[in-house]
Amino acid sequence: MNADEQAVATLLARYQDALNGSDTAAVMDMYAPDGVFMPQHSPSSVGLAAVQQAYEAVFSAITLTVEFAVAEVRQIAPDWVLARTNSAGSVKIHATGEEGPEANQELFLLQKVDGAWKIARYCFSTTNPPRA
């Protein structure tokens, strides 16, 4: 990995920690000003205000304990990097107290903004089998 790709891998580790800590402020620090969050089964959240609202809703509904595995990090232009990850762990649903497995595949498009890598676009989908 070149230096930019390594910096992105480091950002992804910070993102994992922010998710596990239900830390909206830390997540928001990693998003570009025009960032887009595209969670499975939900409409896209476009722009920082909408992204923040979406993460606040996620963290009020669930607690994640996941570990990211970086599958690939590819610099596609001087200020753009594509990253693909897989995550696995557990989720606790606050409304019911139920806990279960959590596993996703994720795609990140990152942009260098004022010299720092930021999440420009992020989407994920589950790799868990359908729940019965």
Side-chain angles (χ1 to χ4, degrees), residues 24-25 28 31 37 45 47-59:
T24 302
M28 295 312 300
Y31 264 88
F37 175 46
S45 298
L48 289 181
V51 170
Q52 181 172 342
Q53 185 176 14
Y55 277 95
E56 287 171 350
V58 167
F59 295 148

Side-chain angles (χ1 to χ4, degrees), residues 107-118:
L107 192 62
F108 295 85
L109 181 63
L110 299 108
Q111 181 181 20
K112 194 179 275 187
V113 178
D114 297 327
W117 287 102
K118 301 286 186 175

Side-chain angles (χ1 to χ4, degrees), residues 25-75:
V27 168
M28 295 312 300
D29 186 51
M30 293 180 240
Y31 264 88
D34 66 344
V36 178
F37 175 46
M38 299 175 285
Q40 178 173 280
H41 305 299
S42 298
S44 296
S45 298
V46 179
L48 289 181
V51 170
Q52 181 172 342
Q53 185 176 14
Y55 277 95
E56 287 171 350
V58 167
F59 295 148
S60 70
I62 63 172
T63 298
L64 293 166
T65 305
V66 293
E67 197 168 311
F68 275 65
V70 176
E72 66 179 314
V73 177
R74 294 181 185 247
Q75 190 157 17

Side-chain angles (χ1 to χ4, degrees), residues 14-29:
R14 287 181 33 231
Y15 181 74
Q16 168 196 284
D17 293 345
L19 287 180
N20 289 334
S22 299
D23 189 340
T24 302
V27 168
M28 295 312 300
D29 186 51

Side-chain angles (χ1 to χ4, degrees), residues 64-125:
L64 293 166
T65 305
V66 293
E67 197 168 311
F68 275 65
V70 176
E72 66 179 314
V73 177
R74 294 181 185 247
Q75 190 157 17
I76 55 176
D79 291 340
W80 293 93
V81 168
L82 181 71
R84 184 172 56 87
T85 60
N86 297 288
S87 61
S90 63
V91 61
K92 180 177 182 178
I93 301 168
H94 297 165
T96 64
E98 178 185 346
E99 293 187 41
E102 179 74 4
N104 290 288
Q105 55 190 350
E106 300 93 9
L107 192 62
F108 295 85
L109 181 63
L110 299 108
Q111 181 181 20
K112 194 179 275 187
V113 178
D114 297 327
W117 287 102
K118 301 286 186 175
I119 299 168
R121 306 293 183 270
Y122 168 53
C123 64
F124 66 89
S125 63

